[in-house]
Amino acid sequence: MNKPAELQLATVSVWINGKAVIPQGRMGEVFNPATGQVTRHVPLCDAQVIDKAVQAATAALPAWRDASILRRARVMQKFLDLLQKNQQQLAALVTEEHGKTLPDAMGSVQRGIEVVEFACGIPQLLKGEYSENVGTAVDTHTVRQAVGVCAGITPFNFPVMVPLWMFPMAIACGNTFILKPSEKVPSASIRMAELFKEAGLPDGVFNVVHGDKAAVDAILSHPGIHAVSFVGSTPIAKYIYETCAKHGKRVQALGGAKNHAVVLPDADLEFTADALIGAAYGSAGERCMAISAVVAVGSAADPLIALLKKKAEKIVVGPGDKDGVEMGPLITSEHRDKVLGFVEKGISEKARLVLDGRKTGMREGFFVGTTLFDDVKPGMEIYKNEIFGPVLSVLRVKTLDEAIALVNSSPYANGTAIFTESGGAARRFENEVQVGMVGVNVPIPVPVAFYSFGGWKNSLFGDLHVHGMEGVKFYTRTKVVTTRWPHQDTPSAGLNMPTLG
Ligand code: NAD
């Protein structure tokens, strides 16, 4: 007799000590957002499973930390090669579980792979400093040493790229790692673990667990984990930061966003509108660097809104794996309903609905169409909240001063952009705006892997951004060594504070 379809679904494994395992206990559902169907089950790990992952990572740490830097770099180089060979397959998993279009998924996987490329340069990146004769016959040098067992907790919207911001950097620096990807998109992380093993990574250096708050809490309170990287929404980022601090862990917690694009009247409006359409509706607005608020200055507003409407209504909505589709569905039915709720709210707040995406004609899946509001005011809920959907708000201001003040009054400060032909205006904006990543005629200024990614204010809790040199700093501790050799007949320090003169 055939089993009911529900029981035939595969369960995504966890990855502990180089092996795929399916733990007992609670299970969650993974959806294909384009069809609305459950496609897999995912274990929601408890503290016992997390502890097993920590034990594996702890056991693997001494040998990996002491492996030569060149060996670590060579494993990374092979991993890079395998990621490139499997880019299409990883992108397909992203599209299947997240919903974004295949070309968009390919681009996001590529941006993640670039961090691995950067991590291959770890021999150069870990070089310390050396000063000869800081005192008579006394030398000082610094070394960067691994922090220990590190963990990463990642969001649903970049199932490959955001994990790749973290674990290659940590592992190249000599740490071992436990990744807990979003339980909504668990499969790509397991595929990456298989590829890393194939590249020659010793068992236990990279582990993947799945789960929700219970798994996260077990990570945050486990004494065997020394550093936590988090990317997700602001309330959870704040919780992660505070809880890690309480447990004495190093932490970087990247939060949500409300990114503004300021458009001056001298901007090339056709170019600007194209850029804004991609930044607002790409990935159905489910990007932490999406532009969700356009600040139109003076006479830019009317022609810009006309162009945005014309371009937004042409966007082809549908399943992300179908040729010609430009915008896929949202991640879950709950999230779709939340986004639709914001559209209703915007209408009741008397923002002007220029384009209504509430009806898409799709019979299944979690779709919302492109939506555009004009005359949005700072006090409105649709402006104050991160909607994380294909809803673009236009606010009108009279001057650049007003625009900068508006951007700076936001509690979020991840990314922002200015569109103008004026170098002076752009320079002033770049200098005065209180935001972590700034674009000048670049709508989504996501830094390349050899720079660092991170916001300010409620978009980042912690001090260091991810990847680039800040990633190296986060995943290492600096040790400063002062050296003297007695046979060189230098004076002894005695009881006074040594001055080394
Ligand atoms: P989320 O905060 O709901 O989840 C992120 C991670 O935290 C997931 O692994 C999830 O399992 C876990 N989590 C969820 N609820 C938890 C709880 N109560 N306690 C402990 N852990 C919990 O975020 P999401 O919905 O997966 O992702 C979208 C959000 O991520 C958006 O706010 C977006 O702006 C943000 N994001 C930020 C960046 C950035 O670089 N700043 C990048 C990507 C996404």
PDB file of all heavy atoms in Angstrom, residues 23 38 47 68 100 109 179 182 193 223 237 255 340 357 402 404 432 453 493:
ATOM      1  N   PRO A  23      18.329  13.474  13.774  1.00  0.00           N
ATOM      2  CA  PRO A  23      18.042  13.278  15.198  1.00  0.00           C
ATOM      3  C   PRO A  23      16.554  13.047  15.458  1.00  0.00           C
ATOM      4  O   PRO A  23      15.709  13.450  14.656  1.00  0.00           O
ATOM      5  CB  PRO A  23      18.499  14.591  15.834  1.00  0.00           C
ATOM      6  CG  PRO A  23      18.601  15.576  14.739  1.00  0.00           C
ATOM      7  CD  PRO A  23      18.597  14.866  13.432  1.00  0.00           C
ATOM      8  N   VAL A  38       4.447  21.569   1.185  1.00  0.00           N
ATOM      9  CA  VAL A  38       5.559  21.117   2.022  1.00  0.00           C
ATOM     10  C   VAL A  38       6.421  20.180   1.177  1.00  0.00           C
ATOM     11  O   VAL A  38       5.901  19.270   0.530  1.00  0.00           O
ATOM     12  CB  VAL A  38       5.037  20.358   3.264  1.00  0.00           C
ATOM     13  CG1 VAL A  38       6.201  19.830   4.101  1.00  0.00           C
ATOM     14  CG2 VAL A  38       4.146  21.257   4.104  1.00  0.00           C
ATOM     15  N   ALA A  47      18.726  20.873  22.987  1.00  0.00           N
ATOM     16  CA  ALA A  47      20.040  21.161  23.584  1.00  0.00           C
ATOM     17  C   ALA A  47      20.985  19.960  23.481  1.00  0.00           C
ATOM     18  O   ALA A  47      22.203  20.135  23.390  1.00  0.00           O
ATOM     19  CB  ALA A  47      19.856  21.584  25.036  1.00  0.00           C
ATOM     20  N   SER A  68      48.886  23.950   9.630  1.00  0.00           N
ATOM     21  CA  SER A  68      49.601  25.094   9.060  1.00  0.00           C
ATOM     22  C   SER A  68      48.615  25.992   8.291  1.00  0.00           C
ATOM     23  O   SER A  68      47.608  25.503   7.765  1.00  0.00           O
ATOM     24  CB  SER A  68      50.713  24.617   8.129  1.00  0.00           C
ATOM     25  OG  SER A  68      50.155  24.202   6.905  1.00  0.00           O
ATOM     26  N   LYS A 100      13.200  32.920  -4.615  1.00  0.00           N
ATOM     27  CA  LYS A 100      13.743  33.942  -5.529  1.00  0.00           C
ATOM     28  C   LYS A 100      14.077  33.308  -6.879  1.00  0.00           C
ATOM     29  O   LYS A 100      14.224  32.079  -6.979  1.00  0.00           O
ATOM     30  CB  LYS A 100      14.956  34.640  -4.910  1.00  0.00           C
ATOM     31  CG  LYS A 100      16.167  33.779  -4.688  1.00  0.00           C
ATOM     32  CD  LYS A 100      17.321  34.565  -4.059  1.00  0.00           C
ATOM     33  CE  LYS A 100      17.149  34.852  -2.588  1.00  0.00           C
ATOM     34  NZ  LYS A 100      18.229  35.604  -1.970  1.00  0.00           N
ATOM     35  N   VAL A 109      24.631  33.350  -4.671  1.00  0.00           N
ATOM     36  CA  VAL A 109      25.618  32.295  -4.386  1.00  0.00           C
ATOM     37  C   VAL A 109      27.015  32.794  -4.780  1.00  0.00           C
ATOM     38  O   VAL A 109      27.998  32.609  -4.056  1.00  0.00           O
ATOM     39  CB  VAL A 109      25.252  30.981  -5.118  1.00  0.00           C
ATOM     40  CG1 VAL A 109      26.354  29.937  -4.945  1.00  0.00           C
ATOM     41  CG2 VAL A 109      23.922  30.432  -4.604  1.00  0.00           C
ATOM     42  N   LEU A 179      26.977  25.841  12.410  1.00  0.00           N
ATOM     43  CA  LEU A 179      26.030  26.721  11.697  1.00  0.00           C
ATOM     44  C   LEU A 179      24.610  26.275  12.004  1.00  0.00           C
ATOM     45  O   LEU A 179      24.294  25.089  11.917  1.00  0.00           O
ATOM     46  CB  LEU A 179      26.298  26.630  10.191  1.00  0.00           C
ATOM     47  CG  LEU A 179      25.285  27.325   9.277  1.00  0.00           C
ATOM     48  CD1 LEU A 179      25.331  28.849   9.463  1.00  0.00           C
ATOM     49  CD2 LEU A 179      25.557  26.982   7.806  1.00  0.00           C
ATOM     50  N   SER A 182      18.570  29.162   8.833  1.00  0.00           N
ATOM     51  CA  SER A 182      17.122  29.304   9.042  1.00  0.00           C
ATOM     52  C   SER A 182      16.453  27.964   8.766  1.00  0.00           C
ATOM     53  O   SER A 182      16.733  27.305   7.764  1.00  0.00           O
ATOM     54  CB  SER A 182      16.562  30.365   8.096  1.00  0.00           C
ATOM     55  OG  SER A 182      15.151  30.269   8.083  1.00  0.00           O
ATOM     56  N   ALA A 193      28.196  21.606   3.532  1.00  0.00           N
ATOM     57  CA  ALA A 193      28.985  20.782   4.466  1.00  0.00           C
ATOM     58  C   ALA A 193      29.563  19.573   3.732  1.00  0.00           C
ATOM     59  O   ALA A 193      30.730  19.208   3.938  1.00  0.00           O
ATOM     60  CB  ALA A 193      28.101  20.336   5.628  1.00  0.00           C
ATOM     61  N   PRO A 223      28.453  26.679  27.284  1.00  0.00           N
ATOM     62  CA  PRO A 223      29.766  27.228  27.680  1.00  0.00           C
ATOM     63  C   PRO A 223      30.895  26.873  26.716  1.00  0.00           C
ATOM     64  O   PRO A 223      31.950  27.517  26.735  1.00  0.00           O
ATOM     65  CB  PRO A 223      30.016  26.588  29.063  1.00  0.00           C
ATOM     66  CG  PRO A 223      29.097  25.418  29.133  1.00  0.00           C
ATOM     67  CD  PRO A 223      27.923  25.694  28.239  1.00  0.00           C
ATOM     68  N   ALA A 237      18.164  40.029  16.819  1.00  0.00           N
ATOM     69  CA  ALA A 237      19.582  40.437  16.874  1.00  0.00           C
ATOM     70  C   ALA A 237      19.903  41.031  18.252  1.00  0.00           C
ATOM     71  O   ALA A 237      20.947  40.734  18.843  1.00  0.00           O
ATOM     72  CB  ALA A 237      19.886  41.450  15.771  1.00  0.00           C
ATOM     73  N   GLY A 255      21.111  43.143  12.206  1.00  0.00           N
ATOM     74  CA  GLY A 255      19.657  43.163  12.306  1.00  0.00           C
ATOM     75  C   GLY A 255      18.972  43.615  11.024  1.00  0.00           C
ATOM     76  O   GLY A 255      19.543  43.570   9.935  1.00  0.00           O
ATOM     77  N   LEU A 340       0.596  41.811   3.167  1.00  0.00           N
ATOM     78  CA  LEU A 340      -0.715  42.303   2.704  1.00  0.00           C
ATOM     79  C   LEU A 340      -1.352  43.198   3.771  1.00  0.00           C
ATOM     80  O   LEU A 340      -1.998  44.204   3.459  1.00  0.00           O
ATOM     81  CB  LEU A 340      -1.644  41.123   2.378  1.00  0.00           C
ATOM     82  CG  LEU A 340      -1.236  40.306   1.132  1.00  0.00           C
ATOM     83  CD1 LEU A 340      -2.129  39.084   0.971  1.00  0.00           C
ATOM     84  CD2 LEU A 340      -1.274  41.172  -0.131  1.00  0.00           C
ATOM     85  N   GLY A 357      -0.462  45.608  -5.460  1.00  0.00           N
ATOM     86  CA  GLY A 357       0.013  44.246  -5.751  1.00  0.00           C
ATOM     87  C   GLY A 357      -0.755  43.173  -4.999  1.00  0.00           C
ATOM     88  O   GLY A 357      -0.286  42.038  -4.915  1.00  0.00           O
ATOM     89  N   GLU A 402      16.693  68.254   4.272  1.00  0.00           N
ATOM     90  CA  GLU A 402      15.547  67.501   4.818  1.00  0.00           C
ATOM     91  C   GLU A 402      15.730  66.004   4.575  1.00  0.00           C
ATOM     92  O   GLU A 402      15.393  65.179   5.428  1.00  0.00           O
ATOM     93  CB  GLU A 402      14.271  67.939   4.090  1.00  0.00           C
ATOM     94  CG  GLU A 402      13.374  68.888   4.845  1.00  0.00           C
ATOM     95  CD  GLU A 402      12.082  69.080   4.060  1.00  0.00           C
ATOM     96  OE1 GLU A 402      11.189  68.232   4.179  1.00  0.00           O
ATOM     97  OE2 GLU A 402      11.993  70.077   3.305  1.00  0.00           O
ATOM     98  N   ILE A 404      18.547  64.282   4.240  1.00  0.00           N
ATOM     99  CA  ILE A 404      19.570  63.708   5.132  1.00  0.00           C
ATOM    100  C   ILE A 404      19.012  63.579   6.546  1.00  0.00           C
ATOM    101  O   ILE A 404      19.207  62.555   7.219  1.00  0.00           O
ATOM    102  CB  ILE A 404      20.867  64.553   5.107  1.00  0.00           C
ATOM    103  CG1 ILE A 404      21.525  64.459   3.722  1.00  0.00           C
ATOM    104  CG2 ILE A 404      21.846  64.106   6.178  1.00  0.00           C
ATOM    105  CD1 ILE A 404      22.747  65.351   3.528  1.00  0.00           C
ATOM    106  N   GLU A 432      27.734  62.956   5.799  1.00  0.00           N
ATOM    107  CA  GLU A 432      26.827  63.263   6.909  1.00  0.00           C
ATOM    108  C   GLU A 432      25.852  62.144   7.254  1.00  0.00           C
ATOM    109  O   GLU A 432      25.273  62.127   8.329  1.00  0.00           O
ATOM    110  CB  GLU A 432      26.024  64.539   6.579  1.00  0.00           C
ATOM    111  CG  GLU A 432      26.902  65.777   6.551  1.00  0.00           C
ATOM    112  CD  GLU A 432      26.119  67.046   6.209  1.00  0.00           C
ATOM    113  OE1 GLU A 432      24.890  67.072   6.375  1.00  0.00           O
ATOM    114  OE2 GLU A 432      26.773  67.991   5.757  1.00  0.00           O
ATOM    115  N   PHE A 453      30.950  44.036   5.609  1.00  0.00           N
ATOM    116  CA  PHE A 453      29.521  44.302   5.472  1.00  0.00           C
ATOM    117  C   PHE A 453      28.919  44.523   6.853  1.00  0.00           C
ATOM    118  O   PHE A 453      29.072  43.692   7.742  1.00  0.00           O
ATOM    119  CB  PHE A 453      28.838  43.092   4.810  1.00  0.00           C
ATOM    120  CG  PHE A 453      27.358  43.259   4.598  1.00  0.00           C
ATOM    121  CD1 PHE A 453      26.838  43.448   3.321  1.00  0.00           C
ATOM    122  CD2 PHE A 453      26.473  43.222   5.671  1.00  0.00           C
ATOM    123  CE1 PHE A 453      25.481  43.608   3.124  1.00  0.00           C
ATOM    124  CE2 PHE A 453      25.110  43.384   5.484  1.00  0.00           C
ATOM    125  CZ  PHE A 453      24.611  43.573   4.208  1.00  0.00           C
ATOM    126  N   ALA A 493      64.236  44.657  35.478  1.00  0.00           N
ATOM    127  CA  ALA A 493      63.210  45.666  35.735  1.00  0.00           C
ATOM    128  C   ALA A 493      63.157  46.085  37.199  1.00  0.00           C
ATOM    129  O   ALA A 493      62.737  47.182  37.522  1.00  0.00           O
ATOM    130  CB  ALA A 493      61.861  45.118  35.315  1.00  0.00           C
TER     131      ALA A 493
END
